[in-house]
Amino acid sequence: MAKKEIVTIKDVAREAGVSVATASRALGGYGYVSKEAKSRVLEAARKLGYNHNLVAKSLRTRKTYTLGYLLPDIANPFYAGIARGIQDVAFEQGYSVIICNNDNDITKTERFLKMFIRNRVEGIIYSAPFNQALKEMAETAIANGIPVVNCYGSTRVAALDTVTGDAEGGCYKAVRHLLELGHRKIGFLKVRGSGISKRRFAGCKRALEEAGVEIFPELVVEVSDYSQASGYLGAKMLFARKELPTAVFAFSEQLAIGVLKAARENSISIPERLSLIGVDDVIGEVLEPPLTSVKIPTYEAGKAAATLLLERIEKQIEENSREVVLEEKLIVRESTKAPER
Amino acid sequence: MAKKEIVTIKDVAREAGVSVATASRALGGYGYVSKEAKSRVLEAARKLGYNHNLVAKSLRTRKTYTLGYLLPDIANPFYAGIARGIQDVAFEQGYSVIICNNDNDITKTERFLKMFIRNRVEGIIYSAPFNQALKEMAETAIANGIPVVNCYGSTRVAALDTVTGDAEGGCYKAVRHLLELGHRKIGFLKVRGSGISKRRFAGCKRALEEAGVEIFPELVVEVSDYSQASGYLGAKMLFARKELPTAVFAFSEQLAIGVLKAARENSISIPERLSLIGVDDVIGEVLEPPLTSVKIPTYEAGKAAATLLLERIEKQIEENSREVVLEEKLIVRESTKAPER
DNA sequence: GTGAAAGCGCTAACAC
DNA sequence: GTGTTAGCGCTTTCAC
């Protein structure tokens, strides 16, 4: 792997018999260059195997065409979907993106922020839940002139451009669906201290109240996080109540999978004896039964976030903090049906 | 967002009352600097809010500490697992990684390669299936002195460092398991033209031959890709045979899910009337029934690939092409049981 | 130990 | 339209 001599713009210029300035203009495709000179330069570049050095260009122009994306874990399909959306619009506009998994850890968050700044990323998107380092990160970035966009991440940070879903509306639809099927005793699995869980529940309440249907406080259980294990635990608690609900609405897909497992263990068949709805809809389709759920449009969210960010970078945006709210659709599958009587 | 003045090493030097050379040495932590000068510099940097400019540093040192990772789609959990592994070891050693989704598309592959080279990534990992552009990409990169590592990607390219799983061994175990349960008529779902599919089948054959069990050619169906749809199709074909197999081994999880669906439609209960084994094991656990499968250690593969690559970058490696073969374990769950008689 | 100065590869005034 | 030249911010001889 003998590193062959790197050919620079100088070499190209010499080969083409022009100055570096002309070569630069020809290669960059701007400024005044005669057709003739341009084609000679391009030909020379091809011949020598020239590769534009973006490091040098960045240093000179102060544009790195690089974005940073901070998320908890790329192996989580929810975030991977967002990442894909971000990358697609970024690449389309000539930007590359550096993805960092913070595992919701403070130290990592700090380290990655520092890395972002040192690498001179031109903007940052985050999808992480709140922690102190995240907040400081956003503030530091802004202070350094690097715009930050929040995409389905914690809202407990500075006023930023934000992309979220209409959690309230999505859940409203889900409960309406249950109501229309005839359910009157609905259990809920929400997450303690989660802002989005709160908004989801608000949507549920609205649907219930509109229909004049009672909320059973003992059927509303709060768990500590959105994991499968928590769903399992929550379901077990629910199943221990005097009276079983006829439907359960779990505020994440993992929670719903936990419910599924618990139900199987207790021989509670879904949807016959219990209807079940989840949120996210990453693998809902392949579950058994296929899960009715509120779909979070992760890919679209990523696209929206990147669009917001690139606008900030390339244009002068006057508004202080913009917000994109994406519709969350209800996907009806086989885990919900009318309750037995 | 008034971009505040960027503080450079010059500012730090002035503030600390030393030359830029000394400041650079102090900040970089190498060369001779007196303790006293060093602490003054560090203090000045802190005070001014100095951020090391890696773009400038890269230009000067020709080290960008950046890696490129080319995969079909980050939203596919299989690749996301690899990506996570790569990132973890990369970040640990101070490298960041740019991830590009080629969707197995030639144009995109070319574009991303060009981007990699222009950004002066120091190494490339790919997990993509073969296409002509990929092959050229690898060759061009190598020619430019950029090492390339193949991680569960096409082997039909130049002799490179490679990470794969012991596909043969994993499948051997799977078939042994079936055999031990008492299965004698086993169906296979493999993919036409896939090198890895061939290796998988070789492992199956070995187990069968060792046990002196016949292979039924009409129960070996070849489909066009690893998708769910193909699994569904393949299963339908299998179910149309004169005699049903008592077990099916599908060479991907998506294929297995397709089989699951087809079986459900035909009221063939799994595992009672048909045992099923898949490969990958990304969501196998939450399927119904939980899927017995050959687990591909994606995270470990990513780590191994990054390790191989960083060794190439940082050390002098004499060997031409190294290979890491990861063990593929069989995870026994509930989709397999003894055949009814 | 420290500083002066050259230069990484490129762009962008500015002069011609 | 084209060339000269001065940096972008940093590291790194080399002399002191």
Side-chain angles (χ1 to χ4, degrees):
Chain A
M1 210 127 51
K3 218 155 201 157
K4 73 173 181 191
E5 289 317 303
I6 347 96
V7 348
T8 74
I9 201 167
K10 238 177 182 165
D11 303 319
V12 175
R14 191 180 327 106
E15 175 77 21
V18 298
S19 72
V20 288
T22 302
S24 177
R25 282 188 287 256
L27 262 7
Y30 49 73
Y32 299 108
V33 209
S34 67
K35 273 205 150 35
E36 210 264 321
K38 181 162 182 173
S39 77
R40 277 224 314 285
V41 171
L42 262 28
E43 168 60 19
R46 210 191 43 66
K47 180 174 162 202
L48 300 181
Y50 172 72
N51 288 305
H52 211 131
N53 185 336
L54 295 190
V55 178
K57 175 170 178 165
S58 293
L59 178 59
R60 180 62 232 237
T61 61
R62 287 143 182 275
K63 289 252 344 145
T64 56
Y65 290 99
T66 303
L67 267 28
Y69 178 41
L70 185 82
L71 41 35
D73 181 12
I74 191 69
N76 178 329
F78 180 83
Y79 298 110
I82 296 180
R84 183 66 213 259
I86 293 173
Q87 289 175 330
D88 280 2
V89 347
F91 286 129
E92 200 172 294
Q93 303 202 35
Y95 285 75
S96 43
V97 8
I98 299 176
I99 293 176
C100 295
N101 310 277
N102 79 343
D103 291 316
N104 203 17
D105 172 276
I106 295 191
T107 319
K108 287 187 187 170
T109 307
E110 283 166 349
R111 239 184 87 217
F112 289 137
L113 166 67
K114 196 175 283 178
M115 201 209 70
F116 282 158
I117 294 183
R118 290 178 161 196
N119 277 306
R120 299 294 192 262
V121 301
E122 297 191 45
I124 296 175
I125 299 175
Y126 75 84
S127 298
F130 182 80
N131 70 39
Q132 192 56 33
L134 180 73
K135 186 174 174 226
E136 280 161 21
M137 176 197 99
E139 285 162 1
T140 312
I142 297 284
N144 277 276
I146 303 174
V148 176
V149 171
N150 166 9
C151 181
Y152 267 99
S154 166
T155 51
R156 293 166 58 196
V157 296
L160 307 167
D161 285 353
T162 298
V163 176
T164 46
D166 180 14
E168 219 245 332
C171 291
Y172 173 84
K173 286 178 219 159
V175 171
R176 286 283 320 212
H177 168 62
L178 254 18
L179 254 17
E180 280 160 14
L181 286 174
H183 292 275
R184 289 301 174 265
K185 292 177 60 180
I186 304 175
F188 296 93
L189 242 57
K190 47 189 292 223
V191 170
R192 210 183 343 271
S194 158
I196 194 146
S197 227
K198 204 165 290 172
R199 282 161 56 207
R200 300 212 172 278
F201 195 58
C204 299
K205 276 216 292 234
R206 181 158 65 86
L208 256 12
E209 280 162 9
E210 270 184 28
V213 170
E214 191 184 349
I215 299 175
F216 298 85
E218 68 159 6
L219 294 186
V220 178
V221 344
E222 278 201 327
V223 291
S224 59
D225 57 40
Y226 285 105
S227 72
Q228 205 179 116
S230 289
Y232 179 85
L233 238 64
K236 287 286 184 182
M237 289 172 60
L238 228 33
F239 297 161
R241 299 296 193 238
K242 284 185 295 264
E243 222 165 342
L244 236 54
T246 62
V248 170
F249 186 5
F251 289 176
S252 88
E253 188 164 86
Q254 289 298 313
L255 283 175
I257 292 173
V259 175
L260 228 41
K261 297 216 150 164
R264 220 126 63 198
E265 272 186 30
N266 288 25
S267 302
I268 297 174
S269 67
I270 293 177
E272 289 73 16
R273 279 186 53 206
L274 185 74
S275 282
L276 178 63
I277 299 191
V279 176
D280 288 352
D281 204 50
V282 178
I283 56 166
E285 194 198 336
V286 302
L287 293 172
E288 178 56 29
L291 188 69
T292 294
S293 49
V294 176
K295 185 175 187 66
I296 298 186
T298 53
Y299 179 71
E300 289 73 19
K303 285 185 94 158
T307 305
L308 243 32
L309 186 60
L310 288 172
E311 279 174 14
R312 281 254 180 240
I313 293 171
E314 309 218 311
K315 301 176 191 127
Q316 311 304 339
I317 307 291
E318 16 3 88
E319 300 150 87
N320 250 335
S321 64
R322 300 170 298 165
E323 189 171 13
V324 171
V325 178
L326 268 20
E327 188 191 350
E328 294 187 355
K329 294 206 169 113
L330 178 71
I331 315 286
V332 177
R333 298 211 184 79
E334 299 163 34
S335 68
T336 43
K337 70 175 277 205
E340 297 174 332
R341 43 193 70 238
Chain B
M1 211 125 51
K3 220 155 196 158
K4 73 171 181 192
E5 290 317 303
I6 346 97
V7 351
T8 74
I9 203 168
K10 239 179 184 164
D11 303 318
V12 175
R14 192 181 324 107
E15 175 75 21
V18 299
S19 70
V20 287
T22 302
S24 177
R25 283 188 285 255
L27 262 6
Y30 48 71
Y32 298 108
V33 209
S34 65
K35 272 208 153 33
E36 211 264 321
K38 182 163 183 174
S39 76
R40 279 224 312 286
V41 171
L42 261 30
E43 168 58 21
R46 211 191 42 66
K47 182 175 161 198
L48 299 180
Y50 171 72
N51 288 305
H52 211 134
N53 185 334
L54 295 190
V55 177
K57 175 173 179 163
S58 294
L59 177 58
R60 180 60 233 240
T61 61
R62 290 144 179 273
K63 288 253 343 145
T64 56
Y65 289 100
T66 303
L67 268 27
Y69 178 40
L70 185 82
L71 41 35
D73 181 10
I74 190 70
N76 177 330
F78 179 84
Y79 299 110
I82 296 180
R84 184 66 215 258
I86 293 174
Q87 289 176 331
D88 279 2
V89 347
F91 285 131
E92 200 172 294
Q93 303 202 37
Y95 285 74
S96 43
V97 7
I98 298 176
I99 292 175
C100 295
N101 311 277
N102 80 341
D103 291 318
N104 204 18
D105 174 275
I106 295 191
T107 319
K108 287 187 188 172
T109 306
E110 282 166 349
R111 239 185 87 217
F112 289 137
L113 166 68
K114 196 174 284 178
M115 203 209 70
F116 281 158
I117 295 182
R118 290 178 160 197
N119 277 304
R120 299 295 193 261
V121 300
E122 298 191 45
I124 296 175
I125 298 175
Y126 76 83
S127 299
F130 183 81
N131 70 37
Q132 192 56 34
L134 180 72
K135 184 172 177 228
E136 280 162 20
M137 177 198 99
E139 285 162 0
T140 313
I142 295 287
N144 278 275
I146 302 174
V148 176
V149 171
N150 165 11
C151 181
Y152 267 100
S154 167
T155 52
R156 292 168 55 196
V157 296
L160 306 167
D161 285 352
T162 297
V163 175
T164 46
D166 178 14
E168 218 245 333
C171 292
Y172 174 82
K173 286 178 219 162
V175 172
R176 285 285 318 215
H177 168 63
L178 254 18
L179 254 18
E180 279 160 14
L181 286 174
H183 292 276
R184 290 300 174 267
K185 293 178 61 180
I186 304 175
F188 294 93
L189 242 59
K190 46 189 293 221
V191 171
R192 209 180 345 269
S194 159
I196 193 146
S197 229
K198 203 165 292 173
R199 281 162 56 206
R200 297 210 174 281
F201 195 58
C204 299
K205 274 217 292 236
R206 181 158 64 86
L208 256 13
E209 281 162 9
E210 268 183 28
V213 171
E214 190 184 351
I215 299 176
F216 298 88
E218 69 159 4
L219 293 186
V220 179
V221 343
E222 278 201 329
V223 291
S224 59
D225 58 40
Y226 286 104
S227 72
Q228 206 178 117
S230 289
Y232 180 86
L233 239 64
K236 288 284 185 185
M237 289 172 60
L238 227 33
F239 297 161
R241 299 298 193 239
K242 284 187 293 268
E243 217 164 346
L244 236 53
T246 61
V248 170
F249 186 7
F251 289 176
S252 87
E253 188 164 86
Q254 290 298 313
L255 284 174
I257 292 173
V259 176
L260 227 41
K261 297 215 151 165
R264 221 127 62 197
E265 273 187 29
N266 287 28
S267 303
I268 297 175
S269 66
I270 294 177
E272 288 73 17
R273 277 186 53 207
L274 185 74
S275 282
L276 178 63
I277 299 191
V279 175
D280 288 352
D281 203 51
V282 178
I283 57 165
E285 195 198 336
V286 302
L287 293 172
E288 179 55 29
L291 188 68
T292 293
S293 47
V294 175
K295 184 173 189 67
I296 298 187
T298 52
Y299 179 70
E300 290 72 19
K303 286 184 92 159
T307 305
L308 243 33
L309 185 59
L310 289 172
E311 278 174 12
R312 280 253 181 242
I313 293 171
E314 309 218 311
K315 303 180 187 120
Q316 310 303 340
I317 307 291
E318 22 354 275
E319 300 150 85
N320 250 337
S321 65
R322 299 169 299 164
E323 187 170 14
V324 171
V325 178
L326 267 19
E327 188 192 349
E328 293 187 355
K329 295 207 167 111
L330 177 71
I331 313 285
V332 177
R333 297 211 184 80
E334 299 163 32
S335 68
T336 44
K337 67 176 278 202
E340 296 174 331
R341 43 194 70 236

